[in-house]
Structure formats: structure tokens, C-alpha cells
Amino acid sequence: MAKATTIKGGKFRVLLGDDADPIVYTAPCGFTQRSITLNKGLEEVNIPDCDDPDKIDWLGRDATSLSMSISGEGVLAEQSVETWLDGFESIESVPAKVEWEFPTKTITWTGFMHIESLEAGAANAGRATLNVSMQSDGEMARTVTPATP
């Protein structure tokens, strides 16, 4: 049985872009946990049996939309707090990139996302933390790049 090829958290990156042309992406400091959710909106329709109208219908589903959401958390790092606050306060979506770097290839999504929420917290004697939630704004284009030897 072949062993699964996996990656560690540092090879799963969420990067935010600037307003430069071309866009320069950087990973916000302090992000220690991140997750990506790919969503497909579905519309349901009943499909009847033409030969037996009294038979229970099967349910058909048509894809109507795609979206991506990202959530993450970590320490509230001074080096990236302005980036998060500027993105949240903007009425425009911000350039975003997600990378999964495997030994043989890197899977990348690029597009624009809204920073939907920021939640900061701290316990007495503990470090301040930040939770972030982002939602795609239009297409997140996926590319696959082979690893360079």
C-alpha cells in the first residue's frame, strides 16, 4: 500500500495582495491555523418517472454557483494588524491567494475576497489572538504548477 503524500501547515498558505501592478502577495504574520471551504450552490428539481407518475420522484440537482471561504486564527501580530484592519474597512474586496504546496506540485487559487469578520480576544496573562473570516468575491481561479527540480 502506498503511503499518502501530505503537507504540513506551513505549506498551506493564505496570502493577501497589495494595490501594486503586478500584485505582490504576502502571508500575514501570526496566522497559525487556516481552513478553506469550497462551496457549490445547488438548485433542486423533482424528476418524475414518465412511465409511472405515481412513483416517488428522484431529486435532481443543478449547480448554480461556486464560492470559497477562508477562516483562520493565530496571534494578534503587530506586523499584520494594519493589513487586516485595512482589508476589513475597505468596501472593495482585496486580492487573495491560497497555496497548497505538495512535493510534486503547487495548487493555487487567486482572486478577490472580502474580509468578512475579525475577532480579537485575550485572556489575562495570555497572548491576544485574532480570528479571521473571508468570503470570495467572484471567481477564485485554480492553477496547478509542477514543482521545480
Side-chain angles (χ1 to χ4, degrees), residues 2 23 37 40 45 47 49 59-60 64 69 75 82-83 86-87 100 115-116 121 123 134 141-142:
I23 298 169
T37 303
K40 182 184 289 186
V45 60
I47 302 174
D49 184 317
L59 191 60
T64 59
S69 60
V75 295
E82 293 296 330
T83 300
D86 289 347
W100 292 345
I115 297 175
E116 177 183 40
M134 302 180 348
R142 181 171 58 96

Side-chain angles (χ1 to χ4, degrees), residues 37-103:
T37 303
L38 301 170
N39 296 298
K40 182 184 289 186
L42 300 172
E43 188 173 90
E44 297 180 348
V45 60
N46 286 9
I47 302 174
D49 184 317
C50 293
D51 295 330
D52 185 356
D54 291 329
K55 196 171 185 180
I56 295 175
D57 296 343
W58 276 97
L59 191 60
R61 291 181 175 87
D62 297 322
T64 59
S65 62
L66 298 173
S67 68
M68 174 188 283
S69 60
I70 296 173
S71 61
E73 62 185 52
V75 295
L76 181 60
E78 181 180 3
Q79 294 87 339
S80 59
V81 72
E82 293 296 330
T83 300
W84 289 119
L85 292 172
D86 289 347
F88 175 75
E89 292 170 354
S90 174
I91 60 171
E92 301 296 328
S93 52
V94 297
K97 180 189 282 190
V98 175
E99 294 177 332
W100 292 345
E101 183 184 339
F102 290 93

Side-chain angles (χ1 to χ4, degrees), residues 108-119:
T108 304
W109 288 269
T110 54
F112 289 83
M113 301 196 90
H114 279 285
I115 297 175
E116 177 183 40
S117 67
L118 298 173
E119 178 185 343

